Amino acid sequence: MKTRMNFKDEFYQKLKLLVLPIAIQNFMLALVSATDAIMLGWIDQTSLSAVSLAGQVQFVLSLFISGIAAGAGIMAAQYWGKQDAASIEKVIPIALRTNLLFSGLFTILAGFCPEMLMRIFTNDAALVASGSQYLRAVALSYVLCGISQVYLILLKNTGHAAVSSRISSTAVVLNIILNAILIYGLCGAPALGIRGAAYATVAARVVELIWAYLETKKPERVRILWNRLFSSAGKILSEDFWRYTLPVLAASLVWGIAYVLYSVIMGHMGSDAVAANSITSIAKSLLSCLIRGVSGGAGVLIGNLLGANELEKAREYGGRLSHLSIAIGIVTGGLLMLIFLILMVRDGRAGPEPPVRPADGMAHPPAGSLTEIVLLNEEDQALSSWTLYGKTGMVIGRDSGENQV
């Protein structure tokens, strides 16, 4: 017998309160990358490409931060389901201590060795120089992010997901506004270009951290006790934390490092390839916001039910979440394929004009097109080819019966 989907039942009502704030939060974070690309793209392509590659340092750090935060979130959600705030206040300092270790290390490396980090991603001297400026200026934001994300994960998993989303979204809006002011020199501020984008990020992180800290200080809120930062949470709690955290962290690192290597390959192909990859990554991030929202909301919802010992309801909700995730994945994948097909059709209609072959057998395609050098034999069959990104190419034809380059 078929069952009708009732969006007014308890499952969807609870999910809506969790998914929408988290999805909006992820959308706003993706929007920062989009505005960075647009604003820096107006300056020059080198700035856009350099920030895109430098952003991979933040991405690698986020793998550690999100893995640690996920473990803390799982335990916080379960203990919140039991209404056991005391155990949450013992567990959270473990996550804070670990995030401080990783984010502090990244801050030191970005602040004092930015050229070394950039050379991992590219050998282009211009990109290394511009990216190093950005990393040196944005370094402080890494340790601020490591701390603020623990506060935000605490709020999200203790019944205040909307507050967490509001803090992040406001910080993003502030980041975008400060980007425009500091990059272009609006409102009497100096035009700092690529460093302006970095300073805007640092300022937004400061506001985000202060606001999140003040929210946890309100009455009847679970707090982070800094005096327990280096205190033991107890053998059982510590073992449980790492038992939940390490698999999530390992999976995040395996996937993330593969993605970073993809960026490394792009970085060694030149500024054009990096810029193109940056734009496509932004489009993917914007479309995947709902997926991340459902994923984050599912973790909180199931965690609360397990903590409250409602195992049957947790099993039922888990099945429904699995079906919902498949549907959302199909829709999102379909949208990406549709965008791809639209771009392919557009490029097919508006592609470069075919080259005109003069008497010397040389074909000269329009400058700036994505093309290749092709070596032809006497029957005009391709013997070998070399792809060129963002450069002018030519077809090498016959010369008095000889194949010559």
mmCIF file of all heavy atoms in Angstrom, residues 77-82 302-311:
data_model
loop_
_atom_site.group_PDB
_atom_site.id
_atom_site.type_symbol
_atom_site.label_atom_id
_atom_site.label_comp_id
_atom_site.label_asym_id
_atom_site.label_seq_id
_atom_site.Cartn_x
_atom_site.Cartn_y
_atom_site.Cartn_z
ATOM 1 N N ALA A 77 24.721 16.097 20.660
ATOM 2 C CA ALA A 77 23.322 15.822 20.313
ATOM 3 C C ALA A 77 22.759 14.703 21.179
ATOM 4 O O ALA A 77 21.610 14.776 21.653
ATOM 5 C CB ALA A 77 23.218 15.456 18.832
ATOM 6 N N GLN A 78 23.547 13.658 21.409
ATOM 7 C CA GLN A 78 23.052 12.543 22.215
ATOM 8 C C GLN A 78 22.878 12.947 23.675
ATOM 9 O O GLN A 78 21.867 12.614 24.303
ATOM 10 C CB GLN A 78 24.013 11.359 22.093
ATOM 11 C CG GLN A 78 24.039 10.730 20.712
ATOM 12 C CD GLN A 78 24.836 9.452 20.673
ATOM 13 O OE1 GLN A 78 25.021 8.783 21.693
ATOM 14 N NE2 GLN A 78 25.303 9.081 19.484
ATOM 15 N N TYR A 79 23.850 13.652 24.217
ATOM 16 C CA TYR A 79 23.719 14.077 25.617
ATOM 17 C C TYR A 79 22.622 15.119 25.794
ATOM 18 O O TYR A 79 21.997 15.195 26.856
ATOM 19 C CB TYR A 79 25.054 14.599 26.145
ATOM 20 C CG TYR A 79 26.032 13.491 26.462
ATOM 21 C CD1 TYR A 79 27.256 13.412 25.817
ATOM 22 C CD2 TYR A 79 25.712 12.519 27.394
ATOM 23 C CE1 TYR A 79 28.157 12.386 26.101
ATOM 24 C CE2 TYR A 79 26.595 11.484 27.694
ATOM 25 C CZ TYR A 79 27.805 11.427 27.031
ATOM 26 O OH TYR A 79 28.682 10.397 27.321
ATOM 27 N N TRP A 80 22.398 15.930 24.735
ATOM 28 C CA TRP A 80 21.300 16.892 24.814
ATOM 29 C C TRP A 80 19.954 16.163 24.818
ATOM 30 O O TRP A 80 19.003 16.596 25.471
ATOM 31 C CB TRP A 80 21.374 17.882 23.661
ATOM 32 C CG TRP A 80 20.356 18.979 23.734
ATOM 33 C CD1 TRP A 80 19.276 19.159 22.919
ATOM 34 C CD2 TRP A 80 20.309 20.039 24.690
ATOM 35 N NE1 TRP A 80 18.563 20.272 23.295
ATOM 36 C CE2 TRP A 80 19.174 20.829 24.384
ATOM 37 C CE3 TRP A 80 21.118 20.403 25.772
ATOM 38 C CZ2 TRP A 80 18.845 21.956 25.122
ATOM 39 C CZ3 TRP A 80 20.776 21.527 26.512
ATOM 40 C CH2 TRP A 80 19.642 22.289 26.184
ATOM 41 N N GLY A 81 19.884 15.053 24.082
ATOM 42 C CA GLY A 81 18.667 14.237 24.115
ATOM 43 C C GLY A 81 18.404 13.683 25.503
ATOM 44 O O GLY A 81 17.254 13.482 25.897
ATOM 45 N N LYS A 82 19.481 13.446 26.278
ATOM 46 C CA LYS A 82 19.338 12.982 27.666
ATOM 47 C C LYS A 82 19.205 14.138 28.646
ATOM 48 O O LYS A 82 19.046 13.902 29.857
ATOM 49 C CB LYS A 82 20.576 12.164 28.063
ATOM 50 C CG LYS A 82 20.790 10.895 27.279
ATOM 51 C CD LYS A 82 22.069 10.208 27.757
ATOM 52 C CE LYS A 82 22.340 8.936 26.974
ATOM 53 N NZ LYS A 82 23.604 8.285 27.406
ATOM 54 N N ILE A 302 18.847 12.557 14.581
ATOM 55 C CA ILE A 302 19.061 11.156 15.002
ATOM 56 C C ILE A 302 19.829 11.104 16.315
ATOM 57 O O ILE A 302 19.549 10.269 17.187
ATOM 58 C CB ILE A 302 19.811 10.379 13.907
ATOM 59 C CG1 ILE A 302 18.993 10.351 12.618
ATOM 60 C CG2 ILE A 302 20.101 8.961 14.376
ATOM 61 C CD1 ILE A 302 17.640 9.698 12.753
ATOM 62 N N GLY A 303 20.798 11.994 16.473
ATOM 63 C CA GLY A 303 21.564 12.026 17.723
ATOM 64 C C GLY A 303 20.692 12.313 18.926
ATOM 65 O O GLY A 303 20.834 11.675 19.980
ATOM 66 N N ASN A 304 19.780 13.264 18.787
ATOM 67 C CA ASN A 304 18.865 13.573 19.895
ATOM 68 C C ASN A 304 17.980 12.373 20.247
ATOM 69 O O ASN A 304 17.728 12.092 21.426
ATOM 70 C CB ASN A 304 17.975 14.760 19.527
ATOM 71 C CG ASN A 304 18.741 16.073 19.535
ATOM 72 O OD1 ASN A 304 19.805 16.179 20.130
ATOM 73 N ND2 ASN A 304 18.208 17.079 18.870
ATOM 74 N N LEU A 305 17.493 11.652 19.223
ATOM 75 C CA LEU A 305 16.629 10.495 19.472
ATOM 76 C C LEU A 305 17.397 9.360 20.142
ATOM 77 O O LEU A 305 16.890 8.700 21.057
ATOM 78 C CB LEU A 305 16.024 10.006 18.148
ATOM 79 C CG LEU A 305 14.997 10.933 17.504
ATOM 80 C CD1 LEU A 305 14.602 10.415 16.132
ATOM 81 C CD2 LEU A 305 13.766 11.083 18.393
ATOM 82 N N LEU A 306 18.633 9.137 19.710
ATOM 83 C CA LEU A 306 19.451 8.088 20.340
ATOM 84 C C LEU A 306 19.752 8.440 21.790
ATOM 85 O O LEU A 306 19.740 7.567 22.668
ATOM 86 C CB LEU A 306 20.756 7.901 19.560
ATOM 87 C CG LEU A 306 20.628 7.297 18.157
ATOM 88 C CD1 LEU A 306 21.979 7.281 17.450
ATOM 89 C CD2 LEU A 306 20.044 5.880 18.230
ATOM 90 N N GLY A 307 20.040 9.709 22.033
ATOM 91 C CA GLY A 307 20.303 10.140 23.397
ATOM 92 C C GLY A 307 19.097 9.982 24.299
ATOM 93 O O GLY A 307 19.223 9.675 25.487
ATOM 94 N N ALA A 308 17.902 10.170 23.724
ATOM 95 C CA ALA A 308 16.665 10.011 24.490
ATOM 96 C C ALA A 308 16.207 8.555 24.542
ATOM 97 O O ALA A 308 15.127 8.263 25.067
ATOM 98 C CB ALA A 308 15.561 10.880 23.882
ATOM 99 N N ASN A 309 17.015 7.644 23.950
ATOM 100 C CA ASN A 309 16.733 6.205 23.946
ATOM 101 C C ASN A 309 15.466 5.866 23.156
ATOM 102 O O ASN A 309 14.815 4.844 23.423
ATOM 103 C CB ASN A 309 16.625 5.667 25.382
ATOM 104 C CG ASN A 309 16.891 4.168 25.448
ATOM 105 O OD1 ASN A 309 17.690 3.645 24.662
ATOM 106 N ND2 ASN A 309 16.230 3.479 26.363
ATOM 107 N N GLU A 310 15.111 6.678 22.176
ATOM 108 C CA GLU A 310 13.965 6.400 21.300
ATOM 109 C C GLU A 310 14.494 5.676 20.062
ATOM 110 O O GLU A 310 14.534 6.228 18.952
ATOM 111 C CB GLU A 310 13.253 7.699 20.935
ATOM 112 C CG GLU A 310 12.663 8.425 22.135
ATOM 113 C CD GLU A 310 11.880 9.663 21.730
ATOM 114 O OE1 GLU A 310 11.165 9.606 20.704
ATOM 115 O OE2 GLU A 310 11.980 10.685 22.426
ATOM 116 N N LEU A 311 14.900 4.427 20.249
ATOM 117 C CA LEU A 311 15.604 3.695 19.198
ATOM 118 C C LEU A 311 14.712 3.385 18.003
ATOM 119 O O LEU A 311 15.154 3.450 16.850
ATOM 120 C CB LEU A 311 16.179 2.397 19.777
ATOM 121 C CG LEU A 311 17.147 2.562 20.963
ATOM 122 C CD1 LEU A 311 17.706 1.207 21.387
ATOM 123 C CD2 LEU A 311 18.276 3.514 20.601
#
